[in-house]
mmCIF file of all heavy atoms in Angstrom:
data_model
loop_
_atom_site.group_PDB
_atom_site.id
_atom_site.type_symbol
_atom_site.label_atom_id
_atom_site.label_comp_id
_atom_site.label_asym_id
_atom_site.label_seq_id
_atom_site.Cartn_x
_atom_site.Cartn_y
_atom_site.Cartn_z
ATOM 1 N N PRO Z 35 113.605 88.361 100.302
ATOM 2 C CA PRO Z 35 114.290 89.317 101.172
ATOM 3 C C PRO Z 35 113.282 90.328 101.717
ATOM 4 O O PRO Z 35 112.172 90.460 101.192
ATOM 5 C CB PRO Z 35 115.315 89.981 100.250
ATOM 6 C CG PRO Z 35 114.776 89.795 98.875
ATOM 7 C CD PRO Z 35 113.961 88.530 98.900
ATOM 8 N N PHE Z 68 109.937 91.986 97.655
ATOM 9 C CA PHE Z 68 110.381 92.028 99.042
ATOM 10 C C PHE Z 68 109.188 91.854 99.977
ATOM 11 O O PHE Z 68 108.055 92.120 99.595
ATOM 12 C CB PHE Z 68 111.015 93.386 99.364
ATOM 13 C CG PHE Z 68 112.317 93.639 98.665
ATOM 14 C CD1 PHE Z 68 112.349 94.156 97.380
ATOM 15 C CD2 PHE Z 68 113.526 93.371 99.301
ATOM 16 C CE1 PHE Z 68 113.548 94.406 96.730
ATOM 17 C CE2 PHE Z 68 114.733 93.612 98.661
ATOM 18 C CZ PHE Z 68 114.747 94.130 97.369
ATOM 19 N N PHE Z 106 117.809 96.062 105.159
ATOM 20 C CA PHE Z 106 117.423 94.950 104.306
ATOM 21 C C PHE Z 106 117.660 93.665 105.090
ATOM 22 O O PHE Z 106 118.612 93.563 105.872
ATOM 23 C CB PHE Z 106 118.239 94.951 103.007
ATOM 24 C CG PHE Z 106 117.836 96.056 102.081
ATOM 25 C CD1 PHE Z 106 118.478 97.280 102.136
ATOM 26 C CD2 PHE Z 106 116.803 95.881 101.182
ATOM 27 C CE1 PHE Z 106 118.094 98.323 101.299
ATOM 28 C CE2 PHE Z 106 116.414 96.911 100.336
ATOM 29 C CZ PHE Z 106 117.059 98.135 100.395
ATOM 30 N N SER Z 108 117.852 89.362 104.827
ATOM 31 C CA SER Z 108 118.043 88.232 103.913
ATOM 32 C C SER Z 108 116.824 87.306 103.971
ATOM 33 O O SER Z 108 116.054 87.354 104.941
ATOM 34 C CB SER Z 108 119.295 87.443 104.296
ATOM 35 O OG SER Z 108 119.035 86.621 105.421
ATOM 36 N N PRO Z 109 116.661 86.434 102.962
ATOM 37 C CA PRO Z 109 115.569 85.456 103.014
ATOM 38 C C PRO Z 109 115.683 84.487 104.199
ATOM 39 O O PRO Z 109 114.726 83.814 104.540
ATOM 40 C CB PRO Z 109 115.706 84.698 101.687
ATOM 41 C CG PRO Z 109 116.382 85.663 100.774
ATOM 42 C CD PRO Z 109 117.348 86.410 101.664
ATOM 43 N N GLN Z 110 116.847 84.447 104.842
ATOM 44 C CA GLN Z 110 117.031 83.619 106.031
ATOM 45 C C GLN Z 110 116.689 84.386 107.311
ATOM 46 O O GLN Z 110 116.791 83.842 108.413
ATOM 47 C CB GLN Z 110 118.489 83.115 106.110
ATOM 48 C CG GLN Z 110 118.866 82.151 104.998
ATOM 49 C CD GLN Z 110 119.062 82.843 103.655
ATOM 50 O OE1 GLN Z 110 119.600 83.944 103.574
ATOM 51 N NE2 GLN Z 110 118.601 82.194 102.600
ATOM 52 N N THR Z 112 118.162 87.352 108.445
ATOM 53 C CA THR Z 112 119.240 88.098 109.083
ATOM 54 C C THR Z 112 119.416 89.465 108.428
ATOM 55 O O THR Z 112 119.329 89.582 107.205
ATOM 56 C CB THR Z 112 120.578 87.324 109.025
ATOM 57 O OG1 THR Z 112 120.872 87.029 107.668
ATOM 58 C CG2 THR Z 112 120.498 86.040 109.814
ATOM 59 N N PRO Z 113 119.666 90.492 109.232
ATOM 60 C CA PRO Z 113 119.887 91.822 108.652
ATOM 61 C C PRO Z 113 121.134 91.844 107.776
ATOM 62 O O PRO Z 113 122.155 91.247 108.122
ATOM 63 C CB PRO Z 113 120.083 92.719 109.875
ATOM 64 C CG PRO Z 113 119.488 91.970 111.007
ATOM 65 C CD PRO Z 113 119.680 90.522 110.689
ATOM 66 N N LEU Z 114 121.030 92.512 106.648
ATOM 67 C CA LEU Z 114 122.163 92.666 105.732
ATOM 68 C C LEU Z 114 122.858 93.973 106.085
ATOM 69 O O LEU Z 114 122.637 95.002 105.454
ATOM 70 C CB LEU Z 114 121.677 92.662 104.280
ATOM 71 C CG LEU Z 114 120.948 91.392 103.843
ATOM 72 C CD1 LEU Z 114 120.312 91.577 102.476
ATOM 73 C CD2 LEU Z 114 121.899 90.204 103.858
ATOM 74 N N MET Z 115 123.698 93.927 107.103
ATOM 75 C CA MET Z 115 124.304 95.138 107.630
ATOM 76 C C MET Z 115 125.298 95.771 106.660
ATOM 77 O O MET Z 115 125.627 96.937 106.796
ATOM 78 C CB MET Z 115 124.977 94.858 108.976
ATOM 79 C CG MET Z 115 124.048 94.261 110.032
ATOM 80 S SD MET Z 115 122.347 94.885 110.105
ATOM 81 C CE MET Z 115 122.561 96.614 110.305
ATOM 82 N N ASP Z 116 125.753 95.015 105.684
ATOM 83 C CA ASP Z 116 126.674 95.566 104.698
ATOM 84 C C ASP Z 116 125.959 96.371 103.614
ATOM 85 O O ASP Z 116 126.603 97.044 102.818
ATOM 86 C CB ASP Z 116 127.509 94.454 104.068
ATOM 87 C CG ASP Z 116 126.665 93.392 103.387
ATOM 88 O OD1 ASP Z 116 125.526 93.153 103.840
ATOM 89 O OD2 ASP Z 116 127.142 92.786 102.414
ATOM 90 N N VAL Z 117 124.634 96.318 103.582
ATOM 91 C CA VAL Z 117 123.861 97.120 102.625
ATOM 92 C C VAL Z 117 123.480 98.411 103.337
ATOM 93 O O VAL Z 117 122.554 98.443 104.143
ATOM 94 C CB VAL Z 117 122.610 96.373 102.113
ATOM 95 C CG1 VAL Z 117 121.847 97.233 101.117
ATOM 96 C CG2 VAL Z 117 122.996 95.033 101.506
ATOM 97 N N LYS Z 139 119.780 100.306 96.009
ATOM 98 C CA LYS Z 139 120.007 99.260 97.010
ATOM 99 C C LYS Z 139 118.957 98.154 96.916
ATOM 100 O O LYS Z 139 119.271 96.974 97.123
ATOM 101 C CB LYS Z 139 120.040 99.848 98.429
ATOM 102 C CG LYS Z 139 121.177 100.825 98.640
ATOM 103 C CD LYS Z 139 122.544 100.186 98.399
ATOM 104 C CE LYS Z 139 123.627 101.228 98.580
ATOM 105 N NZ LYS Z 139 124.942 100.684 98.719
ATOM 106 N N MET Z 140 117.714 98.496 96.579
ATOM 107 C CA MET Z 140 116.687 97.472 96.388
ATOM 108 C C MET Z 140 117.072 96.575 95.208
ATOM 109 O O MET Z 140 116.939 95.346 95.295
ATOM 110 C CB MET Z 140 115.308 98.110 96.170
ATOM 111 C CG MET Z 140 114.727 98.739 97.417
ATOM 112 S SD MET Z 140 113.120 99.535 97.135
ATOM 113 C CE MET Z 140 112.027 98.098 97.306
ATOM 114 N N GLN Z 141 117.547 97.166 94.119
ATOM 115 C CA GLN Z 141 117.980 96.380 92.961
ATOM 116 C C GLN Z 141 119.157 95.477 93.321
ATOM 117 O O GLN Z 141 119.215 94.323 92.894
ATOM 118 C CB GLN Z 141 118.352 97.302 91.797
ATOM 119 C CG GLN Z 141 117.160 97.977 91.174
ATOM 120 C CD GLN Z 141 117.539 99.062 90.175
ATOM 121 O OE1 GLN Z 141 118.608 99.651 90.236
ATOM 122 N NE2 GLN Z 141 116.617 99.325 89.249
ATOM 123 N N LEU Z 142 120.089 95.989 94.106
ATOM 124 C CA LEU Z 142 121.256 95.221 94.537
ATOM 125 C C LEU Z 142 120.836 93.983 95.335
ATOM 126 O O LEU Z 142 121.289 92.867 95.068
ATOM 127 C CB LEU Z 142 122.184 96.102 95.381
ATOM 128 C CG LEU Z 142 123.388 95.410 95.987
ATOM 129 C CD1 LEU Z 142 124.533 95.403 94.986
ATOM 130 C CD2 LEU Z 142 123.808 96.102 97.255
ATOM 131 N N VAL Z 143 119.957 94.180 96.324
ATOM 132 C CA VAL Z 143 119.506 93.071 97.164
ATOM 133 C C VAL Z 143 118.661 92.096 96.357
ATOM 134 O O VAL Z 143 118.819 90.873 96.474
ATOM 135 C CB VAL Z 143 118.745 93.589 98.407
ATOM 136 C CG1 VAL Z 143 118.109 92.445 99.193
ATOM 137 C CG2 VAL Z 143 119.694 94.386 99.300
ATOM 138 N N LYS Z 144 117.810 92.602 95.505
ATOM 139 C CA LYS Z 144 116.975 91.722 94.661
ATOM 140 C C LYS Z 144 117.866 90.826 93.803
ATOM 141 O O LYS Z 144 117.655 89.615 93.732
ATOM 142 C CB LYS Z 144 116.061 92.579 93.781
ATOM 143 C CG LYS Z 144 115.200 91.762 92.842
ATOM 144 C CD LYS Z 144 114.375 92.651 91.941
ATOM 145 C CE LYS Z 144 113.685 91.796 90.888
ATOM 146 N NZ LYS Z 144 112.980 92.601 89.898
ATOM 147 N N ALA Z 145 118.869 91.412 93.164
ATOM 148 C CA ALA Z 145 119.762 90.640 92.296
ATOM 149 C C ALA Z 145 120.537 89.583 93.089
ATOM 150 O O ALA Z 145 120.798 88.485 92.588
ATOM 151 C CB ALA Z 145 120.738 91.583 91.587
ATOM 152 N N LYS Z 146 120.875 89.912 94.314
ATOM 153 C CA LYS Z 146 121.644 88.989 95.156
ATOM 154 C C LYS Z 146 120.878 87.692 95.434
ATOM 155 O O LYS Z 146 121.458 86.630 95.589
ATOM 156 C CB LYS Z 146 121.997 89.698 96.470
ATOM 157 C CG LYS Z 146 122.836 88.884 97.415
ATOM 158 C CD LYS Z 146 123.236 89.720 98.623
ATOM 159 C CE LYS Z 146 124.131 88.914 99.540
ATOM 160 N NZ LYS Z 146 124.712 89.737 100.599
ATOM 161 N N TYR Z 147 119.542 87.793 95.501
ATOM 162 C CA TYR Z 147 118.732 86.624 95.875
ATOM 163 C C TYR Z 147 117.865 86.073 94.738
ATOM 164 O O TYR Z 147 117.001 85.248 94.980
ATOM 165 C CB TYR Z 147 117.871 86.957 97.103
ATOM 166 C CG TYR Z 147 118.749 87.204 98.302
ATOM 167 C CD1 TYR Z 147 118.957 88.493 98.787
ATOM 168 C CD2 TYR Z 147 119.403 86.146 98.921
ATOM 169 C CE1 TYR Z 147 119.790 88.713 99.873
ATOM 170 C CE2 TYR Z 147 120.242 86.362 100.006
ATOM 171 C CZ TYR Z 147 120.429 87.636 100.469
ATOM 172 O OH TYR Z 147 121.264 87.862 101.536
ATOM 173 N N GLU Z 148 118.102 86.488 93.522
ATOM 174 C CA GLU Z 148 117.335 85.937 92.388
ATOM 175 C C GLU Z 148 117.906 84.606 91.956
ATOM 176 O O GLU Z 148 119.051 84.307 92.077
ATOM 177 C CB GLU Z 148 117.338 86.908 91.215
ATOM 178 C CG GLU Z 148 116.407 88.052 91.436
ATOM 179 C CD GLU Z 148 116.271 88.973 90.244
ATOM 180 O OE1 GLU Z 148 117.273 89.263 89.577
ATOM 181 O OE2 GLU Z 148 115.151 89.424 90.005
#
Side-chain angles (χ1 to χ4, degrees):
F68 292 85
F106 288 92
S108 77
Q110 294 74 39
T112 56
L114 300 171
M115 304 321 304
D116 59 329
V117 180
K139 297 301 178 165
M140 289 178 84
Q141 289 171 335
L142 176 86
V143 172
K144 178 183 172 186
K146 182 175 182 171
Y147 295 106
E148 284 186 320

